[in-house]
Amino acid sequence: MTTQGVKGSKTDGFTQLTLDDRHREAGSFLAESSNSAPPPSVGTDSRDPAMATTQLPASGSTRQLIICFVGIFVCYFYYGILQEKITRSDYGEGENKERFNYFFCLVFVQCIINAICARSVLQLTKTEPDKTPTRMYAICAVTYLGAMVASNSSLKWVSYPMQVLGKSCKPIPVMILGVLVARKSYPWIKYLSVLLIVAGVATFMYKDKGGKTTADDHLLGWGEILLLTSLTLDGLTGAVQEKMRSESRTQPHHMMFNINLWSILYLGITVFATGEMFTFVSFVNRYPYVMWNILLFGLGSALGQHFIFVTVTTFGPLTCSIITTTRKFFTILGSVIIFANPLLLRQWFGVALVFSGLGVDSVFGKIKKKPK
């Protein structure tokens, strides 16, 4: 989810896609995922939360993982089209044309729809009582929203391609902080696969600079600092979600509902304190048809978040971050194939790295360590 318009247009040679990072069938799968929870850790006493954080293997099936990937891909593709339509369209005519600039309110409405949908699922399906401490949800919502704000604010100083390139490294802080904060352990093959995927996505999306340099070229400025802050907060979000998953066995729609509920609280204070809510209401009164697109946008986000939180609670935040990172890669690769756009040799090398990383993870990633 992003407060900056998620793009479907091209900027600096890049197809601008839906954000980061960070959400997403109905029927039997929805009911199945609502009741799915990771099993106790192998070789540990599930009654001891401290021991439970040692190692928590993914419990989902390959079928569930594929459904989650396709669900995230389809939902956020539609989500991106709607956000592009909302934020990039001209409203009014002639000299009175204006743009939609109420991004906090857009996310605020989105979180309300997400919370309503999650609560509806909880009411319609039988789920175990949620034992997750409230403070975990409060902290997760802060890091989640903070990562978005920092990422989108960075666009004032860096180009969108630079932002996409930076956010493609998201699995790395998720893995590092998962180890340091959530005391999660990964086999060495997982580190290798993540490194290959991140390097491949970065190589594929990197845009060669021209021969000229400018006075604005720098190694580390405000834009880069904000990107690093966003990545750190992404990692903290993943670490908190991992602790919820391992210690409290948090189920997807409990996590989805409570994180969005806290996000509503934080954003509600923001939009009223800044006065954005009043100008947003005035804008909607002038152009009431925009509200239909906002509601569809929120529904797309809610369904997408269903798949996101099922992935987080079933397979872990790291798997989810890999999916959201490779989703951008596959979207661009798909457009290249469909429209027969040529790829540079460097980009083909990036493709090879991504598929190598995915292959290594699928073949060796689920090999469990032998107990000592």
Side-chain angles (χ1 to χ4, degrees):
M1 168 170 73
T2 177
T3 56
Q4 187 75 21
V6 176
K7 317 293 183 187
S9 59
K10 291 190 175 182
T11 298
D12 296 338
F14 281 76
T15 301
Q16 296 193 353
L17 306 172
T18 62
L19 81 209
D20 90 341
D21 345 31
R22 294 254 167 216
H23 307 301
R24 307 39 145 164
E25 204 171 37
S28 59
F29 174 69
L30 188 147
E32 174 189 55
S33 59
S34 297
N35 293 286
S36 64
S41 304
V42 176
T44 64
D45 184 355
S46 61
R47 294 170 295 181
D48 185 353
M51 292 297 291
T53 60
T54 303
Q55 179 69 23
L56 187 68
S59 61
S61 64
T62 301
R63 172 179 169 273
Q64 265 190 305
L65 184 61
I66 293 173
I67 291 175
C68 287
F69 178 84
V70 173
I72 291 171
F73 187 94
V74 172
C75 290
Y76 276 103
F77 181 77
Y78 181 61
Y79 171 98
I81 292 174
L82 286 171
Q83 191 162 0
E84 170 74 11
K85 189 173 183 179
I86 294 167
T87 61
R88 301 289 290 177
S89 297
D90 290 321
Y91 297 88
E93 297 179 354
E95 295 181 356
N96 295 322
K97 284 184 180 180
E98 53 184 317
R99 287 285 182 95
F100 184 95
N101 294 309
Y102 312 101
F103 298 110
F104 282 117
C105 285
L106 183 63
V107 179
F108 181 63
V109 174
Q110 177 182 337
C111 288
I112 291 174
I113 296 174
N114 291 339
I116 291 173
C117 290
R119 187 64 184 175
S120 299
V121 172
L122 290 172
Q123 292 292 334
L124 295 172
T125 58
K126 295 180 180 179
T127 58
E128 297 178 1
D130 187 23
K131 299 178 182 179
T132 308
T134 302
R135 69 177 185 280
M136 301 293 282
Y137 290 126
I139 294 170
C140 194
V142 168
T143 59
Y144 170 69
L145 292 174
M148 280 196 304
V149 171
S151 175
N152 295 313
S153 297
S154 70
L155 290 172
K156 295 178 182 178
W157 292 277
V158 300
S159 65
Y160 188 84
M162 176 64 182
Q163 187 213 46
V164 171
L165 193 64
K167 295 296 283 184
S168 68
C169 300
K170 178 181 174 180
I172 292 178
V174 170
M175 174 175 276
I176 293 174
L177 289 170
V179 172
L180 297 178
V181 177
R183 291 182 291 174
K184 176 78 176 177
S185 63
Y186 299 99
W188 69 269
I189 203 72
K190 177 67 76 173
Y191 291 97
L192 176 61
S193 64
V194 167
L195 182 62
L196 287 172
I197 291 169
V198 169
V201 172
T203 301
F204 185 87
M205 292 184 168
Y206 177 74
K207 186 178 185 297
D208 296 316
K209 293 183 178 180
K212 296 181 179 180
T213 59
T214 66
D216 293 331
D217 288 342
H218 52 270
L219 179 62
L220 192 66
W222 281 113
E224 289 78 8
I225 291 173
L226 286 169
L227 273 179
L228 289 173
T229 301
S230 177
L231 288 171
T232 302
L233 291 172
D234 279 331
L236 288 172
T237 301
V240 174
Q241 289 175 334
E242 187 62 53
K243 285 183 73 68
M244 288 191 283
R245 174 179 179 254
S246 60
E247 294 181 0
S248 303
R249 306 295 192 267
T250 309
Q251 297 183 25
H253 295 97
H254 283 302
M255 187 181 290
M256 178 177 171
F257 172 72
N258 286 285
I259 290 178
N260 278 288
L261 195 62
W262 279 96
S263 297
I264 291 169
L265 174 62
Y266 299 145
L267 287 168
I269 294 172
T270 301
V271 296
F272 282 103
T274 60
E276 185 176 304
M277 174 59 73
F278 307 108
T279 54
F280 169 72
V281 171
S282 176
F283 182 89
V284 172
N285 284 332
R286 292 195 300 275
Y287 313 104
Y289 58 88
V290 73
M291 202 62 206
W292 175 248
N293 286 332
I294 291 174
L295 291 175
L296 289 176
F297 169 79
L299 289 174
S301 168
L303 188 56
Q305 275 206 359
H306 162 73
F307 291 108
I308 282 285
F309 285 107
V310 168
T311 305
V312 168
T313 57
T314 307
F315 301 96
L318 179 61
T319 299
C320 185
S321 69
I322 291 173
I323 289 177
T324 55
T325 297
T326 54
R327 176 186 60 79
K328 299 173 185 178
F329 163 80
F330 281 114
T331 301
I332 296 177
L333 183 61
S335 70
V336 166
I337 295 173
I338 292 172
F339 297 106
N341 294 319
L343 288 180
L344 301 175
L345 181 62
R346 167 180 54 75
Q347 291 177 306
W348 280 116
F349 180 64
V351 170
L353 286 176
V354 170
F355 281 105
S356 296
L358 293 173
V360 167
D361 187 51
S362 63
V363 174
F364 302 106
K366 291 187 177 181
I367 296 177
K368 296 181 177 60
K369 295 179 180 180
K370 294 181 180 180
K372 295 182 180 179

